[in-house]
Amino acid sequence: MDRTIDHGDEAMSSERGGQSTDAPISSSADAVVAAFAAIPALLARDAALTARGRWLDVDCLLGPNTQPFHVTIRAGQIVDMARAPVLMRSWRFAYRATPAAFARLLAATPASGVA
């Protein structure tokens, strides 16, 4: 059974910590789509993350609800990432949110709520 998690505008958090020199992600739909398009290259540079995901084989739908991506992951590596809609492509789960929600998730330093 396929499952979809759609976060709309609700706040999202991240386990990442520390400071980063990366510029914050704009909440425009185009900026968030561009950030998602960069994920395969970022994953390819992170050998530890790829090693942790070595048993993961899945087809899923990820990204902003305005322009999601069909993502094929094999042995922890993204082998295909196509912008939806792709006719007749199936997926096991979906994780979608508004561009503003993903911008908060992808921000270099997420808001912690702690002063």
Side-chain angles (χ1 to χ4, degrees), residues 26-110:
S26 166
S27 63
S28 76
D30 290 338
V32 172
V33 167
F36 265 88
I39 290 174
L42 294 171
L43 178 61
R45 293 191 311 231
D46 192 335
L49 184 58
T50 300
R52 282 193 301 265
R54 68 187 173 275
W55 304 113
L56 179 62
D57 289 326
V58 69
D59 296 306
C60 53
L61 187 66
L62 304 175
N65 53 13
T66 57
Q67 183 60 67
F69 290 88
H70 285 274
V71 181
T72 302
I73 301 171
R74 298 292 179 262
Q77 296 187 359
I78 296 174
V79 297
D80 184 43
M81 190 165 171
R83 290 176 85 162
V86 179
L87 296 178
M88 302 302 290
R89 176 129 351 149
S90 65
W91 40 271
R92 174 59 68 195
F93 69 91
Y95 191 83
R96 297 180 291 191
T98 63
F102 270 119
R104 288 190 301 273
L105 176 69
L106 298 172
T109 307

